[in-house]
Each structure stands twice: as C-alpha cells, then as structure tokens.
Amino acid sequence: MVLAPGSADSKEKAIEIVGAGPAGLVCAIVLAKANRRVVVREWHQDVGHRFHDDFQGLENWSATQNVLDELADAGVAADFDHRSVTEGIVFDSHAKAHRVHGSKPLFYLLRRGTAPGTLDRALLDQARTAGAEVRFNDRVKRTTSSMILAGGPRRADIIAVGYVFETSMADGAWLAFGTELAPKGYAYLLVHRGRGTVASCMFSGFRDQAKYLGATVEYFKRHAGLEMNTPRGFGGFGNVRLPRTAMQAGNPVIGEHAGFQDALAGFGLRYAMRSGRLAAQSLISGADYTKAWREALQPDLRGGVVNRYLFNQTGPRGIDYLIGKLGSTDTGDALGQAYRLSFPKRLLLPLARFHYRNPLRDRSCSHNNCDCVWCQHGTHEIANT
C-alpha cells in the first residue's frame, strides 16, 4: 500500500516522543512526513511551558548554511514570528559601546512560549498538520522501546532571569559582560516592535539572581536608554554536558535532555532541533544515531567546552580585547571560527574537559530556603519529567 506523504499506517506501532519542546517537535515533524506513526507525550498542559513570550536568539554562525534553510531541508517551515539581526552593540568593561555586525544574520530573533507566533506554537501546529498526535497532561513514568527522549534539561548549569515588557525604544540588541551583572555569563537587552526582553544569564551566583537582575536593569537604563512599561518577570534554566552516546536503554536522547547545549553562551536551540532531525532520520533509515550526532554536533559542542574554559580563565582585559576584535571584523565569521575545533583547541580539549567534568552546578546555592529560578522551578521539573 502506497501512502501519501504525511499519512501513517494506523496499524503501525507508534514511535513515542517524550517531550514537546523544539527537539521533540522537529523530530515528530520529520517522522510524520516520512509516514511514521508518531505520538508526542508532554506532561504539561501546553507547549512552551518554561517560557514567557520572551525573546531568544536562534544563532546563525555555527554553520555555513543559513539556519532557516537548514530547517527547510528538514521539512520545517519558518512560519513563526522572527526577525534577522545583523548588528548589535556589545559593551566592554568600561561601558564603551562596540558595534558588531555581520554580512549575514548573526541570529534570528524569535519568541518562546505558548502564544501564537512563538516558535513553540508554530512547531506544534506543524507537527499536528504533518499527522503527529500530541498528547498533553500525559506523564511518562517508565520508558519502553520505540521511544525518543526529549524531556528537556535535567539540571541547571545556566539560569536566565529577567523581564519582558512593552517599550517605546527603537529596535536593537545589546550585550554586556561583568561579574556584577552576570557571574561567568552575560546580560542582554533585546527590543523589537515595542516589545522587549532584558535578562541576566548567569553560570554562577544563582542565589543572588535578584541582585544581578537589578544591576542589569540599571546598567541598561544608563547605557542603552532602557525604558520598561508593564514589566513581567520570567526565569529559565539550561543544562550543559557532553554525552557519551546520547542513548538511554536503546532509545535516542535529544535536545537538552541529552545535554546538547552551547557551553559558552547557552545558544542551544539549533543543537536541539538538529538532534531531533538526526534522531528521526536514524529511525527512518536505520542509521546509527550516536554516529550521526557525533559527526554533526560533537565538534562544535567540544569547541564550546574549550570556549567556556578559555572564557573562565580570561579577565576583563582579555574580554575587552576580544570584544574589540569582534567589532573590527565580520562578527558572524569570527564567531563561526571561534566554534571550530581547531588544532590548538584540540590540544586544549583534555584540559578543558578535565575542568568541565566538575559540573557547572552553582555552588552558591544549597537548595535550602532559596528562591532562585532553579530551586523554584528546576527541581520540580526534574522530579516530574
């Protein structure tokens, strides 16, 4: 029997995908369009439950192919609200503004959450249109065969805390570094069409998140003219690790469930969606998923680990030097080169991995009487995923 594309055989055993994040939904889209019967099981009541209509960036520098073309090749349409960003401002340690720019988009600005126009809602609609069944309030208590695990982050190595707001500011993207703003991380401000997101993205100091967010807001008020109307607080967290196989009991593990995340800056969306596509293609073709992700993802993931090690060893003067270099050349090309696992970085990798084996888990947070993002949301998420 010949089936039309997107028409699964109802007698076929369903492939179950645990989790309806970008990795799981892209996986579902690819499988459903290949006439596989797919059931996505999400224990929350909707997609995008960890997000609050906040702006995020879908990076476009880690590969020569444009990320939207990459999605199109996987059968995923860019029908979510997005805007290409080719330039922005990065502040050095003296609050001097450096304009960074690229000949192609540095990243695509998009929204995350449950609302129409968000990435999460668009992927859900595409998965259903392709023929996938998506079940909400469906908690998986035990894994079985024919599953793909896409349950999201398993711990907090990074947290972001900030505000979404309305504003009369002009569109723009601003980035700042400093231990007073975001320990071992960065602060950012994104504005588009009267809406904005400001946040501190930190790799340490979780317990003092309110202090760092307050400092971030004041910094951007002074140096970027931040104006916020009807601000609404939000928080999120991410998981960074280098998996060995990204398989669990014979099942592919994708997205942040596997630890696929940029160790330097937390730009993990592209890794998540790539891994979803790779897992789907491995089931369709019978290819080895572990081999596939190691070839497609591992070099850049390792490059990110070395970058994180170097960043942690670099003081303000070194970071200022790098910011100046980014502003004096095509920023997209420079970032792409920075994530390549060059020969010198291969030499540094064992040392970087040695330090990396000690989890990035924040030592300042004892998980007792703490109201940081991880303690308020992370432990609950992990216990129930």
Side-chain angles (χ1 to χ4, degrees), residues 265-298:
F267 281 88
L269 267 178
R270 193 170 191 174
Y271 289 125
M273 293 189 284
R274 274 181 177 174
S275 67
R277 178 187 185 181
L278 291 170
Q281 290 174 335
S282 73
L283 293 184
I284 294 167
S285 67
D288 185 326
Y289 171 62
T290 297
K291 181 180 179 181
W293 77 256
R294 283 177 175 172
E295 290 178 353
L297 305 180
Q298 191 176 66

Side-chain angles (χ1 to χ4, degrees), residues 26 29-31 33 68-77 273 277 281:
V26 166
I29 292 167
V30 176
L31 286 168
K33 287 190 172 185
L68 299 187
D69 293 337
E70 185 178 304
L71 289 175
D73 287 349
V76 179
M273 293 189 284
R277 178 187 185 181
Q281 290 174 335

Side-chain angles (χ1 to χ4, degrees), residues 83-323:
R83 174 212 169 197
S84 64
V85 177
T86 58
E87 63 178 61
I89 297 294
V90 180
F91 294 102
D92 64 20
S93 64
H94 303 287
K96 179 182 177 181
H98 298 257
R99 177 179 173 268
V100 295
H101 56 90
S103 57
K104 64 179 184 179
L106 301 174
F107 63 91
Y108 288 92
L109 190 69
L110 50 79
R111 293 183 294 118
R112 300 294 307 279
T114 62
T118 60
L119 173 68
D120 309 87
R121 180 63 58 191
L123 293 178
L124 172 64
D125 292 344
Q126 289 186 49
R128 284 174 163 165
T129 299
E133 179 184 354
V134 183
R135 301 174 183 169
F136 291 106
N137 299 307
D138 186 3
R139 178 176 171 183
V140 176
K141 297 181 179 180
R142 185 178 294 104
T143 59
T144 62
S145 60
S146 299
M147 275 188 169
I148 297 175
L149 306 180
R154 318 310 292 163
R155 67 179 191 231
D157 298 317
I158 317 166
I159 70 168
V161 58
Y163 297 105
V164 293
F165 55 91
E166 281 73 50
T167 185
S168 59
M169 293 177 65
D171 291 359
W174 296 264
L175 188 70
F177 297 92
T179 56
E180 75 282 5
L181 304 176
K184 298 184 180 179
Y186 56 92
Y188 63 90
L189 169 62
L190 302 168
V191 175
H192 179 54
R193 292 185 177 178
R195 305 175 67 162
T197 298
V198 62
S200 170
C201 182
M202 63 194 78
F203 287 71
S204 184
F206 296 174
R207 180 180 285 274
D208 295 320
Q209 63 176 38
K211 178 181 76 173
Y212 296 120
L213 175 57
T216 292
V217 169
E218 290 304 313
Y219 184 94
F220 285 125
K221 282 182 177 178
R222 290 195 307 272
H223 302 296
L226 171 61
E227 298 176 0
M228 293 194 297
N229 299 315
T230 61
R232 302 175 301 283
F234 77 91
F237 55 91
N239 173 201
V240 183
R241 66 187 178 93
L242 281 176
R244 294 174 61 186
T245 65
M247 296 290 291
Q248 183 175 317
N251 296 316
V253 187
I254 60 178
E256 281 194 284
H257 195 147
F260 294 143
Q261 177 62 276
D262 169 21
L264 175 63
F267 281 88
L269 267 178
R270 193 170 191 174
Y271 289 125
M273 293 189 284
R274 274 181 177 174
S275 67
R277 178 187 185 181
L278 291 170
Q281 290 174 335
S282 73
L283 293 184
I284 294 167
S285 67
D288 185 326
Y289 171 62
T290 297
K291 181 180 179 181
W293 77 256
R294 283 177 175 172
E295 290 178 353
L297 305 180
Q298 191 176 66
D300 286 353
L301 290 169
R302 287 179 167 178
V305 169
V306 177
N307 288 340
R308 168 49 55 182
Y309 170 73
L310 293 173
F311 183 87
N312 287 348
Q313 304 304 311
T314 302
R317 292 180 66 179
I319 293 174
D320 287 352
Y321 171 78
L322 294 174
I323 291 172

